[in-house]
Amino acid sequence: MDTALPPVRPGIGVEEARIDALLRQERERYAASHPRSAELHARGRRAFLYGTPLHWMQLWPGDFPVYMAEASGARLRDVDGHDYVDLCLGDSGSMFGHSHPAIAAAVAAQAARGVTAMLPSETGLWVAEELQRRFALPYWQLATSATDANRFAIRLARMVTGRDKVLVFQGNYHGSVDETQVEFGPDGRMQPRTNVHPNGMDHQRTTRLVEFNDIDALERELAHGDVACVLTEPLMTNVGMVPSTPEYHVALRAATRRHGALLIIDETHTISTGPGGCTRAWNLEPDIFVLGKAIAGGIPCAVYGVTADLARRVWEVKPPVAQGGERRFIHSGFGGTLVGNQLSLAAVRATLEQVMTEANYAHMTELAGRLARHVEAEVARHRLPWHVTHIGARAEYMFTARPPRNGSQAKLGRHGALESLMHLYLLNRGVLITPFHNMVLVCPQATADDVDRHNRVFSECLDALCAEGLQ
Ligand SMILES: Cc1ncc(COP(=O)(O)O)c(C=O)c1O
């Protein structure tokens, strides 16, 4: 036994009092060093309904969010002049780096040549054909956000199956899609999420909820015969990362087919795994494939693709009133005048053609691995009961000894104060990570030095957390 090492630590492995003391220090340091952000936020509270343009922006640790000045590649500068290595990347929206030169040039050129005409263009056709090739699905449609793409995918599923319910997993996030805003209550029954107003939704009518990686529960819920679709990420990324296995996906696919439910795979985050997402890497067979956020380098856009079989079933469903004559009927309800605008399409084309390349993914994956290996070694050095999950360009450290199997386990492993402390500790030393949990993402422009900056500060943070005696 190596007596130089401290004993394995129980629970989260660090004293609550130390976390609280360090968090106080870091909050004070943050407030003192970000006066301009504080001033702008004070103004924002008088102008924005929830204090920031998007209410989530208030969830950054610290008493106010960082106000950004500019960003490029893997770097972001705030209004107080601090430079950060950005491993948050807009919670995946800028997965391929801020203002990637190829995307910025394509957008600038298109902005001068017409943005919105509600007409198709050859660029759009190029995009659809490239999506066909890359994701092996024959028919594609666009939306302005991943949330909308998921809504439209659910609409298609309901249309063709004639069923009402969407099956989702505990701890899921697929955007602000009303049907998905559910969780298990203390009595083990599905209830509206406590932090989301139910807004008149009757979730008992619209939704079934199951734990991830639990095929028996999935079978039981699908057996009711009222599920139009299962909506899932290949692995969960929004409640902490919850890995899955290829075997699980084989069983999930077989069960959905057997029970006549469609399978929607949402790769909005997991496209960080590789140029074809997990779908290509693991040979998944979704009926509908959804991708948003980074697909246009952060410009609003999302895409969804469907199988030939599903397309045929969609065409067979006649809307109550045909528009545009017998042969050209359309189904309304898939809204968005700005969908398929030329700016977004130019950005998608540049992203697919020049940025989502094998070479870029190899670089991103190598650097995310460098980060994960360091975190793993440091966690082991301090004998902390934590683990790190790494897949492709994404990694996450969580405060449990083993990766969670499902959303409930992941929630139990969360520790708000410790998460906030680590965020602020890194932020105060020039590293941004995702604000909601400790997820990091590496973009193509990041360097080994950028990752090593994270790694150095991470080590310092663990040393401070595990030092003997309170400071
Ligand atoms: C897996 C997944 N799908 C969909 C969304 C919704 O994306 P947007 O907010 O861009 O609509 C998110 C957002 O985090 C997501 O993580």
Side-chain angles (χ1 to χ4, degrees):
M1 189 181 156
D2 184 351
T3 50
L5 288 173
V8 176
R9 294 158 191 270
I12 53 166
V14 281
E15 293 165 36
E16 298 285 345
R18 177 172 293 280
I19 297 171
D20 293 344
L22 284 173
L23 186 53
R24 262 196 311 279
Q25 274 177 27
E26 293 305 317
R27 282 192 125 94
E28 282 164 19
R29 177 171 172 158
Y30 174 72
S33 55
H34 294 79
R36 181 78 180 128
S37 277
E39 191 185 313
L40 293 177
H41 183 58
R43 267 172 61 197
R45 285 168 64 100
R46 295 192 293 273
F48 295 115
L49 180 60
Y50 288 107
T52 44
L54 176 68
H55 58 290
W56 291 346
M57 292 174 184
Q58 296 201 51
L59 296 184
W60 284 79
D63 296 327
F64 51 89
V66 167
Y67 265 67
M68 74 171 275
E70 58 185 289
S72 172
R75 295 304 181 98
L76 185 142
R77 175 168 298 166
D78 72 15
V79 290
D80 286 290
H82 303 293
D83 279 315
Y84 302 92
V85 170
D86 191 355
L87 301 172
C88 166
L89 297 167
D91 190 20
S92 298
S94 293
M95 186 182 305
F96 302 119
H98 293 288
S99 297
H100 189 287
I103 304 172
V107 167
Q110 189 60 49
R113 299 174 58 229
V115 172
T116 287
M118 211 183 70
L119 286 170
S121 69
E122 203 166 335
T123 307
L125 193 52
W126 185 97
V127 163
E129 288 170 351
E130 170 59 16
L131 292 170
Q132 284 177 328
R133 192 194 62 75
R134 191 179 278 247
F135 298 108
L137 285 170
Y139 294 105
W140 290 84
Q141 207 75 103
L142 279 86
T144 41
S145 68
T147 301
D148 265 356
N150 281 321
R151 287 195 188 114
F152 299 158
I154 291 170
R155 177 172 277 275
L156 285 179
R158 285 176 165 153
M159 256 168 60
V160 302
T161 61
R163 299 173 176 183
D164 282 342
K165 289 199 170 100
V166 178
L167 187 148
V168 288
F169 296 100
Q170 164 84 341
N172 78 80
Y173 188 72
H174 298 282
S176 46
V177 179
D178 285 334
E179 289 87 340
T180 63
Q181 312 284 354
V182 289
E183 64 191 9
F184 287 122
D187 59 0
R189 289 167 192 260
M190 181 180 74
Q191 64 178 33
R193 264 181 207 163
T194 45
N195 62 347
V196 181
H197 190 280
N199 231 350
M201 284 295 285
D202 177 3
H203 289 112
Q204 300 304 329
R205 209 176 58 71
T206 62
T207 311
R208 290 194 178 276
L209 182 65
V210 166
E211 290 287 4
F212 198 60
N213 279 322
D214 185 345
I215 286 295
D216 291 343
L218 178 78
E219 288 275 2
R220 190 184 61 234
E221 293 301 308
L222 289 176
H224 291 280
D226 55 5
V227 172
C229 58
V230 171
L231 171 59
T232 186
E233 292 186 273
L235 63 142
M236 300 184 83
T237 65
N238 280 296
V239 63
M241 280 167 81
V242 182
S244 65
T245 59
E247 297 75 52
Y248 169 71
H249 277 283
V250 171
L252 169 64
R253 185 61 277 201
T256 44
R257 285 211 172 106
R258 197 167 338 103
H259 293 286
L262 297 180
L263 178 60
I264 306 175
I265 302 265
D266 177 358
E267 292 246 34
T268 295
H269 274 184
T270 50
I271 194 66
S272 55
T273 304
C278 293
T279 296
R280 201 163 86 192
W282 300 350
N283 294 319
L284 305 184
E285 295 176 5
D287 296 294
I288 311 182
F289 171 97
V290 171
L291 181 54
K293 293 201 188 186
I295 184 70
I299 304 262
C301 191
V303 298
Y304 55 109
V306 305
T307 60
D309 182 56
L310 180 57
R312 183 188 48 74
R313 291 172 69 187
V314 169
W315 297 329
E316 279 171 10
V317 180
K318 296 276 183 288
V321 179
Q323 276 181 280
E326 246 326 279
R327 285 186 308 108
R328 294 195 304 133
F329 70 79
I330 57 162
H331 292 273
S332 281
F334 301 86
T337 314
L338 303 186
V339 168
N341 73 78
Q342 300 310 313
L343 206 60
S344 298
L345 286 170
V348 177
R349 178 172 182 162
T351 306
L352 287 169
E353 199 169 34
Q354 300 183 58
V355 188
M356 287 175 69
T357 58
E358 297 280 356
N360 276 345
Y361 272 99
H363 177 73
M364 292 153 76
T365 301
E366 160 58 25
L367 287 187
R370 183 184 181 100
L371 186 149
R373 283 191 299 278
H374 179 85
V375 169
E376 202 164 48
E378 286 296 281
V379 164
R381 181 167 74 86
H382 289 283
R383 296 277 179 110
L384 288 166
W386 300 1
H387 74 274
V388 58
T389 299
H390 165 227
I391 177 164
R394 191 179 295 276
E396 178 162 277
Y397 26 99
M398 292 177 78
F399 313 124
T400 53
R402 277 188 297 278
R405 272 187 58 75
N406 59 43
S408 290
Q409 283 184 11
K411 279 181 188 211
L412 282 177
R414 303 281 304 272
H415 190 292
L418 184 50
E419 284 172 11
S420 294
L421 167 64
M422 298 203 71
H423 282 288
L424 270 185
Y425 200 97
L426 288 157
L427 190 150
N428 280 336
R429 291 157 186 80
V431 181
L432 290 185
I433 65 172
T434 316
F436 316 121
H437 34 103
N438 297 315
M439 196 159 70
V440 296
L441 188 59
V442 180
C443 70
Q445 302 87 340
T447 63
D449 281 350
D450 292 333
V451 165
D452 290 347
R453 185 194 295 189
H454 166 276
N455 290 351
R456 244 185 343 269
V457 180
F458 181 85
S459 296
E460 270 176 51
C461 183
L462 257 53
D463 287 344
L465 269 168
C466 297
E468 294 302 319
L470 287 180
Q471 293 167 335

